């Protein structure tokens, strides 16, 4: 059973953010928080086996895993650690997104933490999806509707285990802390500071209005360079 606390942001804000794809949210961030233009989002390619799923918006549950080295804890301690991890994932602000860093260095992705079992368990615990630089597997048996962005797809879980959880992680160039607000879709993911989240839908709409005259002329059979120049001028005047 999960215990979802009321989040720091109204559910209506998360719902509004979910109406836009992640590139549009990044565009809106450039208006609202231009100082974050070079930080806070994934910068390396990730595999998305389910590109048709809608964007997900939720609070981060952070984990560091490894699979090359066997877990050194006694079996009883391993069991306690696993339960503590699931308690962490299944409680706190919701909805949640699991953000997992593979700390195996050059062997990142050697063993898959994620597959049929973990995707279904994490979905039941209140997660909407996972963002990881590690590997995933069991794609046909994956939990329906559970989004995945991963560094690779592989066959084995090797000695994979959670080394730590609740701390800061870095996945595909994106640094994430526990309870950070995350927006993700097939393109990648971005961290949204809580204090600007409510401003982003309006900024996203502004981006759309500015793009409209340019797209209209670009898609028109009557396109010309002069008309493009005029469209660019009209776009710059939209506020």
């Amino acid at each position: 059973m999960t215990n979802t606390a009321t989040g720091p942001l109204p559910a209506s804000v998360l719902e509004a953010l979910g109406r836009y794809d992640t590139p549009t949210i990044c565009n809106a961030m450039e208006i609202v928080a231009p100082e974050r233009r070079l930080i806070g989002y994934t910068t390396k390619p990730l595999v998305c086996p389910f590109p048709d799923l809608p964007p997900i918006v939720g609070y981060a549950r952070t984990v560091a895993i490894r699979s090359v080295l066997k877990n050194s804890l006694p079996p009883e301690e391993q069991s306690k650690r696993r339960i503590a991890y699931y308690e962490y994932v299944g409680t706190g602000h919701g909805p949640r997104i699991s953000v997992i860093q593979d700390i195996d260095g050059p062997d990142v992705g050697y063993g898959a933490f994620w597959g049929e079992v973990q995707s279904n368990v994490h979905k039941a615990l209140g997660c909407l999806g996972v963002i990881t630089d590690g590997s995933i597997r069991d794609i046909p048996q994956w939990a329906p509707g559970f989004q995945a962005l991963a560094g690779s797809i592989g066959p084995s879980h090797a000695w994979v285990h959670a080394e730590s959880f609740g701390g800061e992680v870095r996945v595909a160039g994106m640094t994430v802390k526990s309870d950070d607000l995350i927006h993700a879709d097939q393109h990648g993911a971005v961290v949204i500071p809580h204090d600007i989240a409510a401003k982003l839908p309006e900024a996203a709409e502004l981006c759309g209005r500015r793009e409209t005259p340019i797209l209209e002329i670009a898609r028109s059979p009557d396109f010309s360079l002069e008309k493009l120049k005029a469209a660019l001028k009209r776009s710059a005047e939209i506020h």
Side-chain angles (χ1 to χ4, degrees), residues 11-42:
S12 58
V13 172
L14 274 62
E15 181 181 349
L17 291 170
R19 299 190 188 111
Y20 305 94
D21 61 25
T22 304
T24 300
I25 292 298
C26 287
N27 288 350
M29 291 272 284
E30 292 173 7
I31 294 174
V32 175
E35 71 279 3
R36 295 184 64 84
R37 198 180 184 102
L38 295 179
I39 61 172
Y41 53 90
T42 54

Side-chain angles (χ1 to χ4, degrees), residues 58-202:
Y59 299 99
R61 282 291 173 266
T62 56
V63 192
I65 62 167
R66 67 187 323 154
S67 63
V68 174
L69 299 179
K70 188 176 182 180
N71 194 330
S72 62
L73 295 175
E76 184 177 346
E77 288 302 313
Q78 291 184 37
S79 179
K80 289 180 180 179
R81 176 73 66 86
R82 187 178 300 112
I83 294 302
Y85 164 70
Y86 284 141
E87 288 177 342
Y88 164 67
V89 172
T91 58
H93 304 317
R96 294 176 283 274
I97 295 174
S98 185
V99 184
I100 294 193
Q101 179 182 359
D102 189 321
I103 58 174
D104 274 331
D107 291 316
V108 62
Y110 199 96
F113 185 85
W114 288 88
E116 178 181 14
V117 174
Q118 294 292 13
S119 63
N120 279 279
V121 168
H122 283 73
K123 181 179 179 180
L125 287 170
C127 286
L128 302 176
V130 57
I131 305 163
T132 180
D133 55 1
S135 63
I136 61 175
R137 64 179 194 167
D138 301 336
I139 304 305
Q141 296 82 27
W142 197 263
F146 193 81
Q147 184 57 285
L149 295 172
S152 60
I153 296 176
S156 176
H157 53 51
W159 292 113
V160 74
H161 60 278
E163 188 80 0
S164 62
F165 50 87
E168 182 177 285
V169 297
R170 186 170 175 83
V171 174
M174 179 180 69
T175 300
V176 182
K177 296 179 181 178
S178 189
D179 283 330
D180 276 351
L181 184 64
I182 305 293
H183 189 290
D185 69 5
Q186 62 174 314
H187 302 92
V190 60
V191 176
I192 300 176
H194 293 184
D195 59 346
I196 68 169
K199 302 175 183 178
L200 291 178
E202 182 178 350

